[in-house]
């Protein structure tokens, strides 16, 4: 989708006047580097084709009106007021509140959102909404914010207003990644560079059909465990553990949590030096095992789907992606075999009682990938 959400007339039909600014941002799929970002580690996301669009105009009502086109929901809120009941609206309100705290004179606004990014599956629909909102605000008010500042503000909105103590992975990906190459990001220094996918390989994202449960509470708990492990080891963050043997002295489950973070960081750095899709895929498989056994953020349905993907001859590697606890899996597949992999794996998954679906590439481009 390009341009403002829906035809411009939709904004005008909703609010009685045309939009004055628009912004958009993509969702992301993380190829490697899971639960490393809040440990100052390395991540390797790539943007997905699906984007979120936001359009705005200043109103003179003294409060904001927000309309979500695809959800068919209309919400009214004050930037500094209580959090709206509709969860998606807290991200928008949070971004405006963070901007205001940063000294931006945020007026009352009419806002329309339209999103193609699948929600609640680990593809960062919330970061896409945050970054699109802040980009739109930047355009509306002519703010001198760069893409990293936008990512940081989106992350603050998520932590302070949505209550998830997330790292910077999602917002940096929504703000800086593109769909053609992966983004290697050092989440401590924010140094980054683009990295090509291995030759003759493409990314496939499949939803397990299992909604993420307890995602934010279990997520915050994992983060607290990592912080505790770092404290016991006397380092600022797990990124600073000099040697993998050190974690062996930790009590369980901290030992396994820390081991995941250390081995996952190593996998990201190894992956960007990989010459072949086979080697890259093996690192994805190892990442899944580590997320399942050491970090314990998988669920049986994800394990089943990942095993089916890994067993397919045209798949180089597969793993759960995002925070875990349900949601989607990512696989690196042989180019030209995408449609066959998707069909074969989804049929086998259905026979085991699962109800999966392909999320990336988006359905309309699947035919050309066959
Ligand atoms: C969520 C968070 C990210 C990151 C991932 C796990 O997407 O928002 O900051 O921690 O989980 O890698």
């Amino acid at each position: 989708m390009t341009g403002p959400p829906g035809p411009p007339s939709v904004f005008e039909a909703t609010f009685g006047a045309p939009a004055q600014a628009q912004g958009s941002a993509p969702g992301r799929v993380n190829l490697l580097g899971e639960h490393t970002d809040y440990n100052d580690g390395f991540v390797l996301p790539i943007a997905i084709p699906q984007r979120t669009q936001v359009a705005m105009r200043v109103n003179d009502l003294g409060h904001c009106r927000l309309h979500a086109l695809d959800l068919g929901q209309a919400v009214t809120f004050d930037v500094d007021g209580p959090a709206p009941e509709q969860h998606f609206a807290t991200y928008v309100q949070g971004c405006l509140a963070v901007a205001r705290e940063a000294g931006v004179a945020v007026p009352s606004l009419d806002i329309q959102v339209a999103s193609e990014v699948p929600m609640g599956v680990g593809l960062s629909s919330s970061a896409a909404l945050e970054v699109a909102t802040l980009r739109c605000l930047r355009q509306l008010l002519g703010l001198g914010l760069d893409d990293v500042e936008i990512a940081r503000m989106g992350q603050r909105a998520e932590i302070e207003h949505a209550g998830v103590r997330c790292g910077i992975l999602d917002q940096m990906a929504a703000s800086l990644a593109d769909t053609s190459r992966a983004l290697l990001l050092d989440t401590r220094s924010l140094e980054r560079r683009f990295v090509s996918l291995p030759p003759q390989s493409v990314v496939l994202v499949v939803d397990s059909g299992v909604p993420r449960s307890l995602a934010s509470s279990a997520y915050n708990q994992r983060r607290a465990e990592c912080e505790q492990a770092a404290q016991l080891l006397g380092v600022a963050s797990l990124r600073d553990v000099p040697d993998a043997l050190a974690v062996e002295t930790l009590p369980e489950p901290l030992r396994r949590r820390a081991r995941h973070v250390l081995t996952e960081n190593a996998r990201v750095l190894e992956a960007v030096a990989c010459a072949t899709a086979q080697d890259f895929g093996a690192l994805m498989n190892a990442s899944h095992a580590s997320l399942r056994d050491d970090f314990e953020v998988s669920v049986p349905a994800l394990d089943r789907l990942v095993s089916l993907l890994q067993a397919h001859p045209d798949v180089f590697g597969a793993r759960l992606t995002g925070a875990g606890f349900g949601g989607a899996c990512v696989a690196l597949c042989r180019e030209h075999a995408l449609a066959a992999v998707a069909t074969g794996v989804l049929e086998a998954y259905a026979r085991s009682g699962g109800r999966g679906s392909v999320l990336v590439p988006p359905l309309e481009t699947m035919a050309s990938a066959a």
Side-chain angles (χ1 to χ4, degrees), residues 28 30 33-38 124 158 166-170 219 322-323:
R28 65 98 187 96
N30 196 20
E34 219 65 87
H35 291 278
T36 48
D37 62 348
Y38 52 83
S124 287
E158 181 115 10
C166 64
I168 192 85
L169 158 65
D170 303 344
Y219 180 93

Side-chain angles (χ1 to χ4, degrees), residues 49-50 202-207 309 312 315 331 333-346 357-370:
Q50 293 97 326
V202 284
V203 170
L204 172 70
V205 181
V206 185
D207 183 20
L309 285 162
H312 195 288
V315 171
C333 300
R334 203 177 298 281
E335 216 178 4
H336 309 304
L338 205 51
V341 170
T343 312
V345 167
L346 286 180
S357 56
V358 173
L359 300 174
V360 177
L363 267 187
E364 57 275 18
T365 57
M366 222 24 208
S368 57

Side-chain angles (χ1 to χ4, degrees), residues 186-207:
D186 177 339
T187 62
R188 171 172 274 173
S189 64
L190 298 190
E191 261 174 56
R192 58 204 176 267
R193 70 183 163 89
F194 284 105
V195 180
S196 300
L197 289 181
Q200 275 108 51
S201 68
V202 284
V203 170
L204 172 70
V205 181
V206 185
D207 183 20

Side-chain angles (χ1 to χ4, degrees), residues 92-181:
V92 177
Q93 185 202 34
C95 287
L96 300 179
V98 163
R100 200 172 264 183
E101 281 154 30
V104 176
V106 178
S108 56
L109 297 165
D110 288 338
I111 307 164
Q112 194 156 56
V113 174
S115 185
E116 308 159 325
V117 181
M119 296 200 307
V121 291
L123 297 182
S124 287
S125 57
S126 59
L129 177 55
E130 289 151 7
V131 171
T133 297
L134 289 162
R135 281 181 171 168
C136 190
L137 191 71
R138 171 171 69 185
Q139 193 194 83
L140 181 76
L141 304 178
L143 305 175
L145 296 170
D146 66 25
D147 292 338
V148 171
E149 286 167 322
I150 288 219
R152 284 190 195 279
M153 289 171 82
Q155 182 197 21
R156 273 191 58 198
E158 181 115 10
I159 294 175
E160 291 167 19
H161 295 267
V164 178
R165 295 186 61 219
C166 64
I168 192 85
L169 158 65
D170 303 344
Q171 291 78 14
M172 282 295 282
S175 198
L176 287 133
D178 71 44
T179 54
S180 60
R181 294 153 306 162

Side-chain angles (χ1 to χ4, degrees), residues 30-35 206 208 256 260 263-264 267 280-310 316-331:
N30 196 20
L31 301 178
L32 269 176
E34 219 65 87
H35 291 278
V206 185
S208 67
R256 280 176 298 130
H260 165 73
T263 57
E264 186 76 353
R267 280 185 285 272
F280 193 106
L283 293 164
M284 293 174 80
N285 295 346
S287 169
H288 185 77
S290 179
L291 287 160
R292 181 191 60 210
D293 302 334
D294 278 352
F295 219 65
E296 295 182 288
V297 291
S298 192
V299 293
L302 281 175
D303 292 339
R304 246 182 18 250
L305 185 53
V306 165
S307 298
L308 291 169
L309 285 162
Q310 289 175 349
F316 299 113
R319 55 184 286 275
L320 70 83
T321 187
F325 312 106
C329 302
V330 60

Side-chain angles (χ1 to χ4, degrees), residues 2 8-9 19 52 55 58 63 84 89 152 166 169 174 194 196-197 221-222 227 234 254 261 272 316 351 359 366:
T2 52
S9 59
T52 295
V58 177
H63 61 258
R152 284 190 195 279
C166 64
L169 158 65
F194 284 105
S196 300
L197 289 181
Q221 186 202 358
R222 292 297 180 284
E227 285 166 356
L254 305 188
V261 174
V272 297
F316 299 113
R351 283 196 295 277
L359 300 174
M366 222 24 208

